[in-house]
Amino acid sequence: MVSAYLELEEHKVFHHPADEEITGDVVDKFVKLHMAKLPRYRRLKKLYESKGPILEQEGKAEYKPDNRLVVNNAKEIVDSYNGFFIGVPVKVTHQEQTVTKFVDEFRKRNSLDDVESEASKLSAIYGHSYIYVFQNEESETCVTFNSPLDMFIVYDDTIQEEPLFAVRYKPTDTGYEGQLFIKGKELYILNDATGTILTELDEDQDRFYYNDIQIIEWKENEERTSVFEPVETLINAMNKALSSKMNDIDYFADAYLAVLGADLDSGSLQDIRDNRIINLFGTDNIKDIVVKFLDKPDGDTSQENFLDRVERLIYEKSMIANINDESFGNASGVALEFKLQPMKNLAINKERKVKVAMKRMYKLIFSVPLQLPNNMIDEWKNLNFTFTRNIPRNVSDEAETAGKLQGVVSKETQLSVLSIVDNVQEEIERINTEREEKSVIDMEQDENGDFVVTQSNDVNEDE
């Protein structure tokens, strides 16, 4: 029953009936299901860390070359895509200045640019990752990232698939232990030979401020597929082909010498090997003597064609642009857009998933007491998230576009076009401050340095 259930849920979420009690046995069942998925996570992790299957294959005989080469396409795909997607930090803005200031300070205190980048990288590797919101010892709200190696979420069986509970655990000598996160509560998990026990935290430790589960899932896509998983077999094939090619090079460097038609004793063989000179004489049929190296059939052309095709397919089917391609740097603006279009499509789909996760995260953060005024705890719904693709920018073109938007859109939208503006609200404040300072400087002053206020003609006429 468990194996059939796991097959159904291999790349999907875990489900549990919403109206059933969450007991130790229920938690234990899902922990075992999660453990059964660990081999896939570990395989993807090894591939990202340059520990491909070729390093673990059975060794060849001692007299045969046995090179193990790994070209880490998986890491290049993940890092290039992650830098493209979130290399430029996400801009979070709000119409109310109080909310924007609170969000900015919170992001700086928690280094959220780094947290979001790491969560995004983990989701690219495993297909999904997690954000963990918690209170530290100073009762400050903190945020960190977590991989799916030791954490999972179970959703209810409704069509909305709302989070039901989450688990973070680690193995022990007798079983495992960890934390269970339920709405409005956090429990301690202990599993041993007697079963799984759920224990509520002591009253002094129970500082639970959240009205929802503290764990938020970041999805790479709805299938929770790694960004390089579709080309995993191609990456392994490339490593195997390169290793075989290196074996051929070693073979040619240490090829067998064939001497046909002459009888050489061990001393002569030693002399040939040491002095690298072949001198055969005293035979009646000297013309029948053949001295040559034994060559394997040369498959260099086929190997090179195969490697070129595999490399091209790896980037085509993963939909990640190969920025090391020679033609990439010579592409015009329009051609460059077409080359990046597949990766942009991936990024757009991921952006939608990430925005959902970020809104859920800020919903938790805003719900903590004393963070914001009571009338603003629901303002997380009105947060605006701006993602900027990390590609070379033409600031001159952006400035021209922003200039043409003058009077057509709001000042905030106009400034958001400029990639050099990190925080639109702060930039608007600087502009207003400069205007006020300029207006003060431009005012007339008398001989004592006091400002002179001149009445308009309309006012004089009224008088």
Side-chain angles (χ1 to χ4, degrees), residues 347-358:
I348 289 172
N349 291 331
K350 181 174 180 175
E351 180 180 319
R352 296 190 183 105
K353 306 296 182 185
V354 169
K355 282 183 177 180
V356 173
M358 293 183 73

Side-chain angles (χ1 to χ4, degrees), residues 291-310:
V291 180
K292 66 176 182 178
F293 284 102
L294 293 180
D295 294 333
K296 287 177 61 178
D298 185 7
D300 185 68
T301 302
S302 299
Q303 290 173 340
E304 288 297 327
N305 290 337
F306 176 77
L307 289 171
D308 290 342
R309 176 173 294 186
V310 169

Side-chain angles (χ1 to χ4, degrees), residues 267-393:
S268 299
L269 293 174
Q270 182 70 34
D271 188 60
I272 290 173
R273 184 164 52 244
D274 294 343
N275 299 317
R276 300 179 182 276
I277 297 174
I278 300 175
N279 183 16
L280 302 177
F281 57 91
T283 59
D284 296 334
N285 300 319
I286 188 68
K287 294 181 180 180
D288 295 334
I289 298 176
V290 179
V291 180
K292 66 176 182 178
F293 284 102
L294 293 180
D295 294 333
K296 287 177 61 178
D298 185 7
D300 185 68
T301 302
S302 299
Q303 290 173 340
E304 288 297 327
N305 290 337
F306 176 77
L307 289 171
D308 290 342
R309 176 173 294 186
V310 169
E311 183 180 21
R312 186 173 66 254
L313 286 173
I314 285 174
Y315 290 100
E316 285 181 0
K317 300 310 176 184
S318 66
M319 301 174 66
I320 306 299
N322 182 8
I323 60 176
N324 296 320
D325 190 352
E326 293 180 0
S327 63
F328 201 89
N330 299 326
S332 63
V334 177
L336 186 62
E337 290 292 325
F338 278 107
K339 284 179 175 290
L340 293 175
Q341 189 60 42
M343 191 157 62
K344 286 183 177 180
N345 293 338
L346 278 181
I348 289 172
N349 291 331
K350 181 174 180 175
E351 180 180 319
R352 296 190 183 105
K353 306 296 182 185
V354 169
K355 282 183 177 180
V356 173
M358 293 183 73
K359 283 195 172 185
R360 187 178 289 273
M361 178 185 73
Y362 281 105
K363 179 182 178 182
L364 277 176
I365 295 168
F366 280 36
S367 68
V368 177
L370 305 180
Q371 296 274 21
L372 284 168
N374 290 334
N375 62 334
M376 291 186 175
I377 60 176
D378 290 330
E379 287 302 314
W380 58 270
K381 300 176 183 177
N382 300 318
L383 290 174
N384 298 313
F385 305 97
T386 304
F387 289 77
T388 305
R389 306 295 174 243
N390 190 17
I391 57 178
R393 297 284 179 177

Side-chain angles (χ1 to χ4, degrees), residues 9-23:
E9 301 289 347
E10 183 178 1
H11 288 294
K12 298 181 180 179
V13 296
F14 291 145
H15 291 101
H16 185 71
D19 56 351
E20 288 189 11
E21 184 182 1
I22 302 171
T23 63

Side-chain angles (χ1 to χ4, degrees), residues 54 60 64-69 238-253 296 300 303-304 307:
I54 193 170
K60 297 183 178 180
K64 290 185 178 182
D66 190 12
N67 293 283
R68 312 288 179 92
L69 302 183
M238 186 174 187
N239 292 336
K240 186 176 181 180
L242 275 174
S243 300
S244 297
K245 190 172 182 63
M246 188 63 205
N247 290 339
D248 289 345
I249 293 174
D250 283 352
Y251 172 84
F252 287 116
K296 287 177 61 178
D300 185 68
Q303 290 173 340
E304 288 297 327
L307 289 171

Side-chain angles (χ1 to χ4, degrees), residues 74-89:
K75 179 176 174 60
E76 182 180 3
I77 288 173
V78 169
D79 292 352
S80 296
Y81 177 54
N82 196 53
F84 173 79
F85 176 72
I86 206 168
V88 178

